[in-house]
Amino acid sequence: MQDIYIAGGAMTPFGRHTGVKAPELAQQAILDAVADAGVRLDDIEAVYCANVLGGMILGQLIVRDLGLRGVPVYNIENACASGATGVHLARHALLAQQYGTVLVFGIEQLTALGGGTIPMQRNDTMTDLYATAGMVLPAVYAMRGTRFLHERDASPEDLAAVAVKNRRHGALNPYAQQRTETTLEDVLASRMIADPLTLLQCCPSQVDGAAAVVLTTRRPRREKPVRVLSSVVVSGLREGADDDILDAEITARAARLAYEQAGLGPQDVDVVELHDAFTIAELLYYEALGLAAPGDAVPLLRSGATRLGGRVPVNPSGGLLAKGHPLGATGIAQMVEIMWQLQGRADGRQVEGARIGLTQCTGGGIAGVDHAASSVHLLGA
């Protein structure tokens, strides 16, 4: 199979960008990624723009002022998995030899929404049972957290420990929105959002940011070129009445396919960026990704294996809990972080000797399925 490389990547700091419009944020990430890749804008043959809430033809609006004349622009919305889906589709086009070098970027400006939880569906298209009933994702994950504490040998402190770990990592990341460490006591004492999840166990909803990567079939001149070893996007299966809400079936299925595609297994992974929108999510995904056996997520966390310096550091960037979660940009930002890790460029939070990295991003809550979409990518240097 044709090798697909991440020739370069970049992201903006995640946070409040007062007075800066979404196109400006995206253009900053794009220009930095193109420079990092050592290519010219004229070398870009197609553009993939990932965004959830920015409106129609956003990609064309963003590249209009960059001088990319007439190149095809694809706008992609797949909830929180939009950025990862953009990379997946771009990889398909490269494998089909439709293009040789493409740009994939993600952008979101959530501060423009004015606060509150992100709606599961737009108000004018609410045809889903969960959305019409007023269900929000913090409540969905709170139910999973409650069940997890009931079934597993786990305590509220174990949930809070995920936030402590990721905030410690985020304090080392100049691109993270939250750059202060926290304690178990602070996490547990923060305002209750949906029992058992407190405020510091939920990713910030007021965040802007952009990320971009240049994908190519041409081997970059870097000392450690990063390859996309596998790329999988799947949708959710209709659940039965007796399905286990702790199973994370869609992510486990995507991970299994990604490992098979790359000829690797969980034991080969050195560093992970996963979708920790809530603390309970990280624990569930340890098991779904095969990092821990079923029922062993808490022992894995307690062992220190997923901290920086551990056997398989998870979310060295700080994850969504600390770095922030601008929806369309998240999946691509995860890949930029893994690219930096594999190339030894993650100053202050470097996972020494990392050769294989994994990114995982889920998206969309709808009635009757685990998630609407899930993506898993394996990258190697």
Side-chain angles (χ1 to χ4, degrees):
M1 184 180 290
Q2 171 74 57
D3 283 335
I4 306 299
Y5 297 95
I6 300 180
M11 57 182 288
T12 67
F14 283 6
R16 260 181 204 278
H17 290 268
T18 304
V20 180
K21 299 297 185 183
E24 297 172 82
L25 273 179
Q27 289 161 4
Q28 177 184 334
I30 289 168
L31 293 174
D32 288 348
V34 168
D36 187 58
V39 301
R40 302 173 306 171
L41 281 170
D42 289 348
D43 296 322
I44 302 300
E45 300 169 55
V47 174
Y48 295 77
C49 169
N51 178 264
V52 179
L53 299 167
M56 293 190 298
I57 58 169
L58 183 62
Q60 285 87 340
L61 290 173
I62 289 168
V63 303
R64 174 188 60 192
D65 300 327
L66 294 178
L68 290 171
R69 296 177 179 273
V71 300
V73 177
Y74 303 96
N75 291 289
I76 297 144
E77 185 276 304
N78 210 12
C80 305
S82 296
T85 301
V87 171
H88 180 74
L89 294 174
R91 177 176 177 268
H92 273 298
L94 292 169
L95 288 174
Q97 299 182 359
Q98 188 171 2
Y99 311 116
T101 300
V102 301
L103 170 72
V104 188
F105 71 91
I107 172 65
E108 210 73 54
Q109 195 166 39
L110 294 180
T111 59
L113 299 181
T117 58
I118 297 168
M120 296 174 71
Q121 297 283 326
R122 295 202 319 268
N123 289 334
D124 59 340
T125 59
M126 280 193 175
T127 59
D128 181 75
L129 177 62
Y130 280 1
T132 54
M135 179 68 79
V136 291
L137 285 173
V140 172
Y141 279 94
M143 288 189 285
R144 290 173 176 154
T146 299
R147 191 69 187 176
F148 188 87
L149 296 180
H150 174 73
E151 290 193 6
R152 308 289 177 83
D153 182 19
S155 67
E157 287 76 13
D158 291 314
L159 295 179
V162 174
V164 172
K165 172 183 73 73
N166 291 354
R167 287 285 288 264
R168 183 178 297 127
H169 292 173
L172 303 172
N173 183 4
Y175 294 90
Q177 181 181 31
Q178 305 293 334
R179 299 204 60 205
T180 56
E181 295 190 30
T182 189
T183 65
L184 282 176
E185 294 75 19
D186 288 340
V187 174
L188 293 171
S190 61
R191 177 165 55 89
M192 185 62 69
I193 299 300
D195 193 10
L197 300 177
T198 59
L199 179 65
L200 294 183
Q201 297 185 61
C202 308
C203 68
S205 62
Q206 288 288 286
V207 58
D208 308 325
V213 290
V214 175
L215 300 182
T216 184
T217 57
R218 304 175 180 94
R219 182 182 175 88
R221 296 180 180 179
R222 288 189 182 280
E223 182 180 346
K224 290 185 177 180
V226 172
R227 291 182 298 144
V228 181
L229 303 177
S230 63
S231 173
V232 171
V233 174
V234 296
S235 58
L237 301 176
R238 188 76 183 184
E239 295 175 332
D242 59 349
D243 281 356
D244 183 357
I245 64 171
L246 303 183
D247 189 29
E249 183 280 331
I250 188 173
T251 292
R253 179 159 41 96
R256 183 173 63 252
L257 293 171
Y259 289 135
E260 290 174 359
Q261 192 179 106
L264 299 171
Q267 71 281 357
D268 299 308
V269 175
D270 300 310
V271 58
V272 175
E273 284 284 312
L274 60 72
H275 192 98
D276 61 322
F278 304 90
T279 52
I280 179 59
E282 179 161 324
L283 293 171
L284 296 180
Y285 295 146
Y286 287 171
E287 299 178 15
L289 296 172
L291 305 178
D296 285 347
V298 167
L300 181 71
L301 177 69
R302 290 175 179 172
S303 75
T306 59
R307 295 197 300 259
L308 278 169
R311 176 175 59 82
V312 55
V314 174
N315 288 326
S317 70
L320 281 59
L321 288 168
K323 185 170 86 264
H325 183 26
L327 311 178
T330 289
I332 298 171
Q334 289 178 329
M335 295 185 194
V336 172
E337 175 69 21
I338 294 295
M339 179 193 74
W340 285 338
Q341 291 286 350
L342 299 184
Q343 293 177 337
R345 296 200 279 161
D347 295 340
R349 61 189 188 282
Q350 182 64 50
V351 177
E352 297 301 328
R355 295 183 59 251
I356 303 294
L358 181 149
T359 68
Q360 173 264 341
C361 210
T362 57
I366 56 176
V369 299
D370 178 4
H371 277 90
S374 184
S375 65
V376 173
H377 287 77
L378 285 161
L379 309 180

